[in-house]
């Protein structure tokens, strides 16, 4: 069930009507759990079985960890929980990748193998909810959080429909305490939530979807583009993936807020980052902080010497790359991000080079340029094509025919990019634009929402697109 569909609109209104009618917490939780499983079932009924299994493994391993007295048994149950979650994720997401890699290795040493490609369907959102389950198990083991007694409550935490298929990745200590109270609808939450939902739809439907065709045309065609076309194409993808994913996040956070629940923010204007470390503090924040707390710190983090810190960073970002997809380009993209992080720490952060704020415009442009090169690695799995496009970004050659041809075929592209730049600058300078809009008088707020809805109708892309991060 896509957020940008009429199906979701009807579904969400029905959920609101029920919660406004039923005031007993137990009934509310039961209904939300049923609604969340229906939401997931709308993608595929088989996905629900995987979600249920992940829920049972996390819930009962968490309970077992605190019920046994022996440290050895506590660690054993921790391992059981982690192996169960990673086993599910590994089987569905990485089995064919591992088979392909093993077959290639055998071929390289002279053994030909006709290993079949298994017909495994990747459950949508599995990377998100398994990371939530892993975080819960680890938090319980380390004593950061007491396990919940109710399987229903825990199942709702893991399956709650706004975050289920593309995050944000929630932490148990942040979300589960909110379920201890009865959910009530308030005018403030409704205005703030629907403002976020509309902004998310505007990002997705007007910006991201209208850029999709241009991006595909640029990177799926013949290798004849000049550097300017490649640059505009990858800038368009950078805007597309940001508006697509942050748009989804806005709708998720807004949907939860309308229901009286709060999610943490997941984006903070990442393309205004002055360095790659700051970029990862602003981009997909729930993932970057999860990797910091559950991967980087356990590897040693900042407590070790420089070499160990740098190796930990590279390993963490390699895992980040593989989390995004079972493909070599995602692994290389993660390592590339790790190299940039190490370079920033060693050349700039630890030596204080270019720390003066007067350098900020240069650093923002340089960080965005390096990020765009990373996005090339992210979207192009074919090595020869990737090398071609990276060369175009590093060694510029300018022509006019290719650019004119693309822009004549996609007249909306420059308009859409211009709309994004203006809107992004306004939202950056205005700081809390959502709260400003939500705080307007009811009549003024209704007018703004109506204008936004009209914009969705007239400026929507001709073809509805799925959200990019559904594949992860």
């Amino acid at each position: 069930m896509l957020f940008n569909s009429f199906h979701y609109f009807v579904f969400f209104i029905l959920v609101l009507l029920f919660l406004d009618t039923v005031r007993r917490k137990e009934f509310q939780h039961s209904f939300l759990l049923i609604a969340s499983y229906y939401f997931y079932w709308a993608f595929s009924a088989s996905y629900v079985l995987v979600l249920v299994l992940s829920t049972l493994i996390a819930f009962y391993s968490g309970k077992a960890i605190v019920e046994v007295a022996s440290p050895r048994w506590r660690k054993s149950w921790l391992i059981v929980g982690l192996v169960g979650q990673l086993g599910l994720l590994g089987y569905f997401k990485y089995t064919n990748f591992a088979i392909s890699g093993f077959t290639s290795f055998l071929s390289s040493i002279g053994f030909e193998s006709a290993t079949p490609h298994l017909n495994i369907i990747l459950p949508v959102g599995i990377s998100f909810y398994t990371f939530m389950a892993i975080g819960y198990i680890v938090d319980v083991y380390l004593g950061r959080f007491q396990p919940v007694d109710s399987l229903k409550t825990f199942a709702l935490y893991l399956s709650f429909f706004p975050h289920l298929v593309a995050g944000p990745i929630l932490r148990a200590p942040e979300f589960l305490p909110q379920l201890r109270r009865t959910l009530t609808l308030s005018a403030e939450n409704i205005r703030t939530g629907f403002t976020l939902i509309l902004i998310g739809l505007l990002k997705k439907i007007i910006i991201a979807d209208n850029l999709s065709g241009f991006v595909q045309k640029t990177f799926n065609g013949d290798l004849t583009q000049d550097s300017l076309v490649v640059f505009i194409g990858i800038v368009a993808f950078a805007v597309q993936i940001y508006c697509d994913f942050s748009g989804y996040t806005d709708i998720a956070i807004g949907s939860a807020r309308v229901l009286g629940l709060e999610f943490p923010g997941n984006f903070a204007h990442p393309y205004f980052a002055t360095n790659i470390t700051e970029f990862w503090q602003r981009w997909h924040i729930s993932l970057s902080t999860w990797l910091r707390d559950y991967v980087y710190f356990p590897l040693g983090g900042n407590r070790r010497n420089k070499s160990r810190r740098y190796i930990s960073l590279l390993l963490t970002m390699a895992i980040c790359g593989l989390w995004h997809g079972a493909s070599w380009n995602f692994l290389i993209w993660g390592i590339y991000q790790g190299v940039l992080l190490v370079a920033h720490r060693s050349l700039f952060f630890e030596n204080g080079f270019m720390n003066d704020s007067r350098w900020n415009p240069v650093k923002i442009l340089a960080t965005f340029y390096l990020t765009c090169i990373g996005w090339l690695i992210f979207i192009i799995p074919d090595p020869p094509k990737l090398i071609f496009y990276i060369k175009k970004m590093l060694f510029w050659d300018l022509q006019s025919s290719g650019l004119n041809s693309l822009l004549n075929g996609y007249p909306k592209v420059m308009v859409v990019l211009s709309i994004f730049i203006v809107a992004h600058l306004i939202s950056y300078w205005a700081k809390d634009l959502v709260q400003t809009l939500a705080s307007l008088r009811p009549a003024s707020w209704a007018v703004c929402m109506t204008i936004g809805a009209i914009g969705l109708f007239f400026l929507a892309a001709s073809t509805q697109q799925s959200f990019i991060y559904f594949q992860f």
Side-chain angles (χ1 to χ4, degrees), residues 102-127:
F102 183 66
T103 303
S104 298
F105 170 74
L106 291 178
S107 178
S108 68
I109 59 176
F111 292 93
E112 295 299 328
S113 174
T115 308
H117 183 89
L118 301 181
N119 186 27
I120 299 174
I121 300 175
L122 179 66
V124 63
I126 188 173
S127 297

Side-chain angles (χ1 to χ4, degrees), residues 53-68:
L53 183 56
S54 177
T55 301
L56 294 174
I57 291 171
F59 178 76
Y60 285 108
S61 60
K63 283 181 68 67
I65 285 171
V66 298
E67 288 175 354
V68 296

Side-chain angles (χ1 to χ4, degrees), residues 41-167:
W41 175 83
F43 288 99
S44 174
S46 60
Y47 294 170
V48 174
L49 298 176
V50 183
L51 175 59
V52 169
L53 183 56
S54 177
T55 301
L56 294 174
I57 291 171
F59 178 76
Y60 285 108
S61 60
K63 283 181 68 67
I65 285 171
V66 298
E67 288 175 354
V68 296
S70 167
R72 181 179 178 182
W73 277 106
R74 292 180 75 249
K75 182 171 286 188
S76 297
W77 279 111
L78 169 69
I79 293 171
V80 167
L82 295 182
V83 169
Q85 298 298 330
L86 293 173
L88 285 175
L89 184 61
Y91 172 75
F92 284 101
K93 194 164 186 175
Y94 302 107
T95 297
N96 282 317
F97 179 64
I99 291 173
S100 176
F102 183 66
T103 303
S104 298
F105 170 74
L106 291 178
S107 178
S108 68
I109 59 176
F111 292 93
E112 295 299 328
S113 174
T115 308
H117 183 89
L118 301 181
N119 186 27
I120 299 174
I121 300 175
L122 179 66
V124 63
I126 188 173
S127 297
F128 291 89
Y129 64 73
T130 52
F131 267 29
M132 286 176 56
I134 289 170
Y136 172 82
I137 295 168
V138 172
D139 285 344
V140 169
Y141 176 77
L142 295 177
R144 297 171 181 165
F145 189 76
Q146 288 297 311
V148 291
D149 295 326
S150 168
L151 177 58
K152 178 176 67 176
T153 302
F154 180 77
L156 179 57
Y157 155 69
L158 213 61
S159 66
F160 187 42
F161 67 87
H163 74 74
L164 180 55
V165 295

